[in-house]
Amino acid sequence: SGFADRLSQRLRDAGDEVIVANIGKAWREVDSRNVVVDAKNANDIERLFAHVLAVNPPPSRIVHLWNLESADVETTLQRGFYRLLEVAQIIGREDLSDPLALMAITRRAQRVAGESDLDPAKATLLGPCKVIPREFPNMRCVLVDVDTPAASSPLERRLLDGLAADLDAALAATLTHDVIAWRAGERWVQEQAELPLPAVAAGQSRFRARGVY
């Protein structure tokens, strides 16, 4: 998509070596920096990693954008949930132990300001993003849900800068939140807070000491 192209260019402008994998019907190497991948074919993900490792040293950042656009549930899962699991499996098999940041970017997966047109199948990416760092301590994963500011607008430039900064922070293990959303140029984070419960008067609790339920 155009947004993905502009994010890739933003990373290149910062001096990063970027390899782009676009979704297509079959595997194809356009050139050393651009490939086409059948996102439903696990073998193509293997080919993608082989290509990346042949061109560059082991990657330090992976940005997953295949769930930006809406699709049917099975396609959404094939492009997102299952592919992230395969990425983790490949990293394990290749024994890539250097620090690695994985950022999965979605659109309309999280409710921030009362949105009603959500795409819940995309929210399944939260599972791999939470579990992968527990299996691979060298990996940092962050799930980011974005809106759609006008192309090349100040709001989009702010969004692109924010994504690049969070990606760097994830790699440096200084990112303090792993679920983020961007709305109208503002960065939102997910936090959890304790909910105090009212005291229960003596003898009114439904639980009893050493009870079995």
Side-chain angles (χ1 to χ4, degrees):
S1 69
F3 178 80
D5 292 338
R6 291 187 291 277
L7 178 57
S8 298
Q9 189 58 53
R10 168 64 180 77
L11 297 175
R12 290 191 184 97
D13 291 343
D16 293 329
E17 294 288 339
V18 178
I19 296 177
V20 176
N22 288 306
I23 295 176
K25 295 182 178 180
W27 169 265
R28 180 166 59 92
E29 291 186 23
V30 179
D31 54 44
S32 63
R33 304 296 175 187
N34 293 273
V35 300
V36 176
V37 175
D38 178 1
K40 295 182 179 181
N41 188 337
N43 290 332
D44 277 12
I45 308 303
E46 297 273 2
R47 287 181 173 182
L48 173 59
F49 259 81
H51 177 84
V52 170
L53 294 174
V55 172
N56 274 341
S60 61
R61 302 169 180 86
I62 298 174
V63 182
H64 178 276
L65 293 140
W66 289 353
N67 281 143
L68 268 181
E69 307 304 330
S70 294
D72 61 83
V73 171
E74 184 58 30
T75 298
T76 297
L77 293 174
Q78 289 286 350
R79 291 178 177 179
F81 181 85
Y82 298 128
R83 296 296 81 85
L84 289 192
L85 292 181
E86 287 173 2
V87 166
Q89 292 168 356
I90 293 170
I91 289 171
R93 288 199 299 272
E94 295 291 337
D95 196 24
L96 302 180
S97 57
D98 290 338
L100 177 60
L102 170 60
M103 175 179 284
I105 302 177
T106 59
R107 184 177 288 136
R108 295 174 45 238
Q110 301 179 39
R111 178 175 285 115
V112 176
E115 299 92 338
S116 59
D117 58 338
L118 297 180
D119 193 341
K122 295 179 180 179
T124 57
L125 288 177
L126 183 61
C129 286
K130 289 288 188 179
V131 172
I132 289 174
R134 295 179 179 274
E135 297 292 331
F136 300 95
N138 63 308
M139 290 190 66
R140 299 290 183 272
C141 296
V142 55
L143 179 63
V144 186
D145 195 64
V146 302
D147 54 6
T148 53
S152 302
S153 66
L155 284 181
E156 188 187 63
R157 288 195 293 271
R158 184 174 181 179
L159 170 59
L160 296 176
D161 288 344
L163 293 173
D166 281 340
L167 191 59
D168 287 341
L171 182 63
T174 59
L175 191 65
T176 55
H177 297 87
D178 57 9
V179 180
I180 300 169
W182 281 85
R183 297 291 186 271
E186 298 294 330
R187 182 179 181 272
W188 298 69
V189 298
Q190 184 184 73
E191 293 185 340
Q192 297 177 346
E194 293 184 1
L195 178 64
L197 298 177
V200 179
Q204 294 185 1
S205 174
R206 296 186 179 183
F207 299 96
R208 64 180 184 275
R210 305 180 68 84
V212 178
Y213 304 94

